[in-house]
Each structure stands twice: as C-alpha cells, then as structure tokens.
Amino acid sequence: DEAVRKAAWQKAAGQVRAFLDRGRDVAMVVLGDVSIYATYCSLMEILQGEGYATEMIPGVTSFSAIAARLGMSLTTMEEPLHILPASQSEQWAGLDLPGTKILMKSGRNLGPLMEELSRRGLLDRASLVANCGLPGEVVCRDLRKFSAPTGYYTTVIVKE
C-alpha cells in the first residue's frame, strides 16, 4: 500500500531529522547497493527536499554478490541484463525480455513465480540465493530441485 509506505518513510525521515537538527551525522546501512530498491532513496528525497545535505556511497549490489556465490556471469558483451521486482507479478512480463533476468525480493511470491517459470519453460535456467552472505543463506543452482522456504531477501536469476 503506497500510502502506508509513504507514511513509514515520513516517520523514518522524522527520526533522522531529529539527529540532523542536533548537528549529528547519520548513516544508513543497506544490504546491497543504496540505489537499487533501497528505502534510503525515499528518505534521501524527503530530506533533500527539506534542505538537508545527503550523500550516497555505493555498495555491492545483492545480485552481483549472488552471481558470485553461484559462480556465474550475469551477462556477456551481447546480452542485456534486466532487474525486475518479483514482488509484483505484473512485472513478470519482463521474463519475455532477452538476456539475463534478475527477480529481486522473490520470497513472498516464490511459489507462484516458480509456477510461472515452469509454465514459460524457464525453470531449468533459474537459480536462487536467499539471505546471501547472512546466517541461513540458501543456495540453489537448479530451481527444479528446490523446495525450502525462503524469506524477503530471496533473488532468482534466470539465464537466457
């Protein structure tokens, strides 16, 4: 719900603002890169709009860490790379695009997503990592053999 999300961002911005107004610096640590599906960007826009200075420091994208964990290249010089939010099934139309597809935050929709991948004949080209680099990490190089539960930090990679 967009209204709930915006209210949460405003609340978080208020908490950050309380420190900034006392002359303190604030850092927000994110998993992955700060510019990709990160709450930081929403807070940054709010605080910048109020005149506060912000700075983004890049990190390693979660999908790059996942590709490294799987020991795979995401693309070649000729292949495009597509990043899709798997939490929104309407975005799954992107599975028709050429090249490698990265489906981020797949955990809540993993069952339906796996059914969609199977329907499209892509399940045999899909791999998964959940909680990459965290306790409880799960690595599956072949989704046809996967049945474990996963959580929010689940990413599926579909190679062309």
Side-chain angles (χ1 to χ4, degrees), residues 18-158:
F19 286 95
L20 296 174
D21 288 344
R22 291 190 302 229
R24 308 281 310 265
D25 289 334
V26 177
M28 182 174 177
V29 179
V30 300
L31 294 174
D33 183 81
V34 71
S35 68
I36 300 174
Y37 299 127
T39 300
Y40 169 77
C41 288
S42 301
L43 296 179
M44 177 187 71
E45 290 173 6
I46 292 167
L47 294 168
Q48 282 178 339
E50 296 173 357
Y52 294 95
T54 64
E55 178 182 4
M56 293 174 69
I57 300 171
V60 174
T61 62
S62 58
F63 55 84
S64 294
I66 288 165
R69 179 72 78 229
L70 292 167
M72 71 167 52
S73 170
L74 290 174
T75 62
T76 65
M77 292 294 287
E78 295 79 29
E79 290 178 325
L81 177 65
H82 306 282
I83 304 164
L84 308 169
S87 58
Q88 302 170 18
S89 58
E90 58 272 10
Q91 296 290 333
W92 297 352
L95 290 168
D96 292 330
L97 295 167
T100 301
K101 277 72 73 176
I102 296 171
L103 296 128
M104 296 186 66
K105 303 187 180 180
S106 300
R108 290 186 197 137
N109 286 327
L110 189 58
L113 175 59
M114 287 178 62
E115 289 172 17
E116 183 68 13
L117 292 170
S118 179
R119 187 182 71 72
R120 292 171 180 258
L122 298 172
L123 202 56
D124 64 330
R125 293 188 265 158
S127 302
L128 170 152
V129 175
N131 300 321
C132 186
L134 300 171
E137 179 181 83
V138 175
V139 176
C140 179
R141 289 174 173 75
D142 184 347
L143 275 188
R144 293 173 297 179
K145 301 174 184 174
F146 186 75
S147 62
T150 64
Y152 182 72
Y153 294 116
T154 301
T155 299
V156 173
I157 297 177
V158 181

